[in-house]
């Protein structure tokens, strides 16, 4: 099927966004700063100070009079002091990813009035206070994934009126306070991998939505009781393309593993009718037609966005149509920000990926969950090299050809949960150099071969829970940078530290629950390893199954 849609504002957007100069050979007209490396690109000064062993911003003694981007990744900064950046006031982007930041003092960012982007990912921050981001009045983009954030105060973003993109995935956030987003208009919000159980409508969801283009809520322990109807109702009102990924219920038990959108409201909340629930929460009624209450057309989605081109008053100008090629039997939708396609082929009875024809162009996300696929071949993904997410969960896959994913160099998330896979080999993962998230829970995995994951240097999350593993091979995690590892509900009696756990140098969360731990001498290295983990790590309880005298004791 060939769908042709008219992309009005998308094209307008592409035309109004300044087009970066292609290769330019602009000269450095300002000093650099030893030991950093500097360049001019797209008329911005770029100062590269990654991995130089800095422990304090005060060590950057130079200042620059033109706008600049400052890269400080992989240094050793633990604290940002008040007024640290006063002399760096022309920075438009600062990257502090991969440091050891634990503390941001009040007023640390004073003076950064033109800063648009701030990267704080992969640090050890545990709180965003009301005063943490004081002074960042131009901030549009804030990235703080892979920290250990447990608390965000309700005024933390209140003066960030320009904030559009907020990336907070893989933290430990249990709840978001009321009015947190009251004065921001987010277009992108990533909350994957936190501890959220519910999100309320009033004071929270009603503040996000109008300008929203993408929200990610996967991997939270959603509690699917009456309260979550607020989230469900809100999801029915946002543009179909805005929610990326599933919302899978963790509790109560009878909804465990179910997608929230597929549970009837009357099942979640048997005592009240839909309209009673919604009315009591002040949720606007859906109009009687099945249309979304909020506009779904790209043109309208963008009209409230911060691009300042004048709104078309009558008929928008038409442009030549752009083709969307969508495999027969699937539905496709276009992401406005990168013109990438989300291809939804869930639960359509596919037996073989080669049946997906015609092949879409620029597919970014491919959902094939709930089909009948048994084998994955190397040729299956030849024309999918732009994929960043591939969901093959809940099929019947028992065979993955060596190099099956070799043509997916951009893949970040791979879901193979709920299949019949018994063995993991290094060959399966060849070519997945960008992979961050790998899901293998609920398979029949008994064997993992040595160095199975070593070809994935960016691997941060690995779910192997609910399999049949008894042991892990040498170098299982060598070469990865895992932050989250789930080994729950396998058959482990013990786990070696030498050659296995010792490679988990970046671990933030590890779940070892529901294994028959044999608390004898052999387990002493594991115990010592757990005790030596940094205080920011989270470990599920480790209960001994044997010997009898220690049964049910926490290791
Ligand atoms: C870092 O710099 C600040 C000044 O911005 C100073 O007060 C502080 O003592 C320095 N800390 C370390 C550990 O050098
Ligand atoms: C943070 O700010 C909010 C409102 O702006 C206020 O209600 C709250 O009490 C403040 N929290 C703290 C801990 O100061
Ligand atoms: C927030 O901004 C308002 C006005 O823009 C200003 O009066 C107030 O002092 C700011 N508060 C903080 C904590 O920066
Ligand atoms: C889920 O919500 C119900 C009802 O509000 C509550 O009783 C229950 O404790 C919650 N479960 C969890 C795991 O938080
Ligand atoms: C599935 O595709 C593979 C490779 O394209 C092919 O060899 C195989 O015969 C197909 N199987 C079925 C059942 O169509
Ligand atoms: C994949 O792309 C190649 C060209 O890059 C084309 O020749 C081939 O027919 C495509 N295969 C499918 C199944 O669309």
């Amino acid at each position: 099927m060939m769908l042709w849609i008219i992309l009005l504002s998308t094209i307008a957007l592409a035309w109004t966004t300044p087009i970066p100069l292609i290769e330019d050979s602009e000269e450095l007209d300002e000093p650099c700063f030893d030991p950093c490396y500097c360049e001019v690109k797209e008329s911005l000064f770029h100062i590269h100070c990654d991995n130089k062993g800095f422990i304090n911003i005060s060590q950057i003694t130079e200042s620059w009079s033109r706008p600049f981007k400052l890269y400080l990744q992989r240094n050793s900064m633990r604290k940002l002091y008040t007024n640290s950046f006063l002399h760096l006031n022309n920075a438009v982007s600062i990257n502090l990813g991969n440091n050891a930041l634990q503390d941001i003092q009040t007023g640390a960012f004073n003076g950064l009035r033109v800063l648009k982007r701030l990267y704080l990912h992969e640090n050890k921050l545990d709180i965003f206070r009301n005063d943490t981001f004081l002074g960042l009045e131009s901030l549009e983009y804030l990235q703080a994934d892979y920290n250990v954030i447990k608390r965000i105060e309700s005024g933390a973003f209140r003066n960030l009126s320009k904030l559009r993109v907020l990336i907070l995935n893989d933290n430990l956030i249990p709840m978001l306070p009321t009015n947190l987003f009251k004065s921001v208009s987010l277009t992108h919000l990533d909350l994957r991998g936190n501890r959220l159980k519910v999100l309320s409508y009033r004071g929270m969801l009603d503040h996000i939505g109008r300008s929203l283009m993408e929200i990610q809520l996967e991997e939270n322990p959603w509690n699917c009781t009456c309260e979550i109807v607020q989230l469900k109702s809100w999801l029915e009102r946002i543009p179909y393309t805005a929610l990326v990924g599933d919302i899978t219920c963790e509790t109560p038990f009878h909804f465990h593993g179910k997608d929230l959108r597929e549970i009837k409201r009357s099942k979640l909340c048997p005592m009240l009718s839909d309209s009673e629930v919604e009315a009591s929460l002040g949720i606007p009624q859906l109009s009687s037609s099945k249309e979304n209450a909020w506009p779904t057309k790209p043109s309208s989605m963008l009209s409230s966005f911060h691009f300042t081109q004048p709104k078309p008053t009558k008929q928008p100008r038409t442009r030549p149509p752009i083709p969307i090629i969508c495999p027969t039997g699937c539905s496709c939708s276009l992401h406005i920000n990168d013109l990438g396609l989300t291809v939804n082929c869930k639960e359509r009875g596919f037996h073989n990926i080669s049946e997906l024809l015609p092949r879409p162009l620029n597919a970014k996300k491919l959902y094939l969950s709930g089909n009948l696929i048994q084998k994955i071949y190397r040729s299956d993904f030849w024309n999918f090299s732009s994929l960043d997410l591939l969901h093959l969960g809940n099929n019947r896959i028992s065979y993955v050809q060596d190099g099956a994913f070799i043509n997916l160099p951009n893949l970040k998330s791979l879901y193979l949960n709920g299949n019949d896979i018994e063995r993991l080999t290094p060959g399966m993962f060849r070519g997945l150099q960008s992979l961050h998230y790998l899901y293998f829970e609920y398979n029949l995995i008994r064997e993992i071969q040595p160095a199975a994951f070593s070809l994935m240097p960016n691997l941060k999350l690995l779910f192997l829970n609910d399999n049949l593993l008894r042991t892990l091979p040498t170098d299982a995690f060598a070469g990865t940078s895992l932050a989250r590892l789930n080994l729950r509900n396998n058959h482990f009696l013990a786990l070696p530290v030498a050659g296995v756990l010792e490679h988990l140098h970046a671990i933030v969360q590890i779940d070892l629950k529901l294994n028959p731990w044999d608390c004898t001498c052999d387990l002493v290295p594991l115990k010592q390893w757990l005790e030596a983990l940094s205080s920011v790590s989270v470990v599920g309880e480790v209960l001994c199954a044997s010997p009898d005298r220690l049964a049910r004791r926490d290791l």
Side-chain angles (χ1 to χ4, degrees):
M1 174 178 52
M2 188 84 104
L3 266 178
W4 295 78
I5 69 150
I6 300 169
L7 285 165
L8 309 166
S9 300
T10 308
I11 295 171
L13 166 61
W15 287 1
T16 49
T17 308
I19 297 161
L21 305 175
I22 324 261
E23 258 330 295
D24 45 8
S25 52
E26 293 164 72
E27 280 172 31
L28 302 186
D29 53 1
E30 295 214 45
C32 194
F33 175 67
D34 195 44
C36 306
Y37 152 75
C38 300
E39 61 179 340
V40 178
K41 264 200 323 208
E42 292 158 25
S43 60
L44 275 182
F45 207 59
H46 293 244
I47 300 151
H48 299 275
C49 305
D50 294 335
N51 212 355
K52 300 291 183 210
F54 288 120
I55 58 164
N56 206 337
I57 297 292
S58 64
Q59 293 172 286
I60 315 276
T61 49
E62 190 62 62
S63 44
W64 290 274
S65 62
R66 64 143 100 189
F68 65 91
K69 295 191 176 185
L70 178 58
Y71 302 87
L72 283 164
Q73 292 198 81
R74 295 184 297 284
N75 283 289
S76 306
M77 279 176 268
R78 309 179 72 170
K79 194 166 178 176
L80 297 179
Y81 294 85
T82 308
N83 292 334
S84 289
F85 293 95
L86 278 182
H87 62 300
L88 299 170
N89 60 327
N90 290 316
V92 294
S93 169
I94 296 180
N95 193 331
L96 288 160
N98 260 296
N99 274 272
L101 291 174
Q102 291 182 326
D103 189 14
I104 298 179
Q105 287 191 337
T106 305
F109 299 116
N110 280 344
L112 294 174
R113 299 177 64 174
V114 297
L115 193 77
K116 289 198 158 112
R117 286 179 170 248
L118 179 61
Y119 299 81
L120 295 169
H121 55 281
E122 292 168 85
N123 279 290
K124 294 180 175 164
L125 298 170
D126 62 357
I127 184 169
F128 283 172
R129 291 192 206 84
N130 276 351
D131 55 19
T132 299
F133 300 109
L134 224 59
L136 295 175
E137 56 195 60
S138 302
L139 199 70
E140 295 174 359
Y141 178 105
L142 176 59
Q143 177 174 349
D145 47 328
Y146 289 100
N147 278 276
V148 286
I149 301 167
K150 294 189 192 71
R151 195 150 79 89
I152 302 183
E153 292 180 357
S154 63
F157 306 131
R158 102 199 114 168
N159 273 20
L160 306 183
S161 61
K162 303 248 170 70
L163 191 66
R164 296 294 176 265
V165 178
L166 180 58
I167 300 175
L168 290 173
N169 57 285
D170 295 283
N171 278 288
L172 302 169
I173 304 167
M175 55 88 67
L176 295 175
T178 310
N179 291 332
L180 181 64
F181 299 126
K182 191 172 178 187
S183 43
V184 297
S185 310
L186 297 178
T187 62
H188 294 76
L189 176 59
D190 193 340
L191 289 167
R192 278 176 297 180
N194 278 288
R195 297 287 171 82
L196 296 169
K197 293 181 174 173
V198 290
L199 286 176
S200 55
Y201 185 81
R202 259 191 216 143
M204 173 53 54
L205 295 170
D206 57 350
H207 293 152
I208 36 183
R210 295 258 152 224
S211 48
L212 193 71
M213 291 184 177
E214 202 168 288
I215 184 165
Q216 295 180 300
L217 297 170
E218 287 177 295
E219 292 164 56
N220 279 282
W222 298 110
N223 186 11
C224 295
T225 61
C226 205
E227 238 181 306
I228 208 160
V229 170
Q230 306 179 43
L231 175 58
K232 184 173 166 68
S233 299
W234 180 80
L235 289 172
E236 285 159 8
R237 286 162 171 76
I238 61 170
Y240 170 70
T241 48
L243 178 71
V244 180
D246 299 329
I247 298 192
T248 307
C249 304
E250 168 105 359
T251 51
F253 182 71
H254 57 282
F255 289 136
H256 183 86
K258 286 239 165 76
D259 188 322
L260 173 64
R261 286 166 299 178
E262 275 143 33
I263 305 174
K264 290 217 174 75
R265 261 185 284 189
S266 55
K267 293 251 169 67
L268 291 167
C269 216
M271 309 303 283
L272 295 170
S273 76
D274 293 357
S275 47
E276 279 171 317
V277 176
E278 294 186 356
S280 71
L281 296 165
I283 302 175
Q285 292 283 310
L286 272 184
S287 52
S288 54
S289 72
K290 280 191 137 185
E291 293 303 307
N292 283 334
W294 283 338
T296 55
K297 269 186 290 175
S299 53
S300 330
M301 266 167 70
L302 275 174
S303 59
S304 54
F305 193 42
H306 67 291
F307 293 99
T308 49
Q309 78 265 31
K311 277 194 213 166
T313 42
K314 287 184 201 144
Q315 281 296 310
R317 284 174 297 166
T318 52
R319 301 280 179 205
I322 289 183
I324 292 187
I325 300 171
C326 193
T328 308
C330 305
S331 59
C332 293
S333 54
L334 196 71
H335 287 244
I336 226 99
N337 47 339
D338 57 359
L339 294 183
L341 210 61
T342 294
V343 181
N344 180 355
C345 310
K346 287 183 203 171
E347 293 163 22
R348 306 290 159 94
F350 286 112
H351 284 88
N352 209 335
I353 295 169
S354 58
E355 292 168 42
L356 294 181
L357 290 171
R359 293 275 151 139
L361 298 172
N362 203 27
K364 287 281 166 73
K365 303 191 192 302
L366 174 58
Y367 292 93
L368 273 164
S369 42
N371 283 290
L372 306 167
I373 299 163
Q374 297 180 11
K375 297 185 177 181
I376 306 286
Y377 300 97
R378 207 176 307 154
S379 53
D380 284 344
F381 300 109
W382 272 350
N383 296 42
F384 279 111
S385 60
S386 46
L387 280 187
D388 72 38
L389 180 151
L390 174 59
H391 206 312
L392 291 163
N394 301 320
N395 277 278
R396 297 172 181 180
I397 299 165
S398 56
Y399 171 78
V400 179
Q401 193 176 23
D402 259 14
F405 307 112
I406 200 153
N407 293 306
L408 301 176
N410 300 308
L411 200 68
K412 280 230 174 77
S413 308
L414 175 59
Y415 293 80
L416 282 160
N417 52 295
N419 282 291
D420 300 328
I421 296 167
E422 296 184 10
R423 199 156 55 113
L424 304 184
T425 67
M428 284 171 68
F429 303 113
R430 235 185 290 145
L432 291 173
Q433 72 247 22
S434 305
L435 202 74
H436 276 54
Y437 312 103
L438 182 56
Y439 301 87
F440 271 115
E441 65 272 25
Y442 296 99
N443 274 277
L444 306 170
I445 302 171
R446 293 165 196 282
E447 184 194 347
I448 295 180
Q449 292 189 345
F453 309 110
S454 302
L455 297 172
M456 298 178 283
N458 287 305
L459 196 63
K460 298 224 178 318
L461 175 150
L462 176 60
F463 279 16
L464 288 168
N465 49 297
D466 298 277
N467 278 290
L468 307 172
L469 289 165
R470 290 173 187 279
T471 185
L472 291 174
T474 316
D475 289 343
F477 308 117
T480 68
S481 44
L482 279 177
R484 294 178 67 196
L485 175 63
N486 195 338
L487 297 173
R488 185 196 272 239
N489 205 14
N490 278 280
H491 299 324
F492 293 112
L493 301 174
L495 271 181
V497 172
V500 180
L501 297 177
E502 66 175 357
H503 293 138
L504 297 174
H505 44 80
I507 199 78
V508 171
Q509 250 180 296
I510 180 167
D511 191 337
L512 301 171
K513 273 189 205 166
L514 301 179
N515 281 289
W517 299 110
D518 181 29
C519 297
T520 55
C521 277
D522 291 349
L523 217 58
V524 170
L526 173 64
K527 180 173 160 69
Q528 287 168 340
W529 182 79
L530 289 171
E531 284 164 358
L533 279 185
S534 113
S535 61
V536 298
S537 303
V538 181
V539 187
E541 58 190 357
V542 182
L543 295 182
C544 303
S546 57
D548 285 347
R549 70 194 158 80
L550 293 177
R552 306 207 50 75
R553 293 275 297 278
D554 193 328
L555 175 65

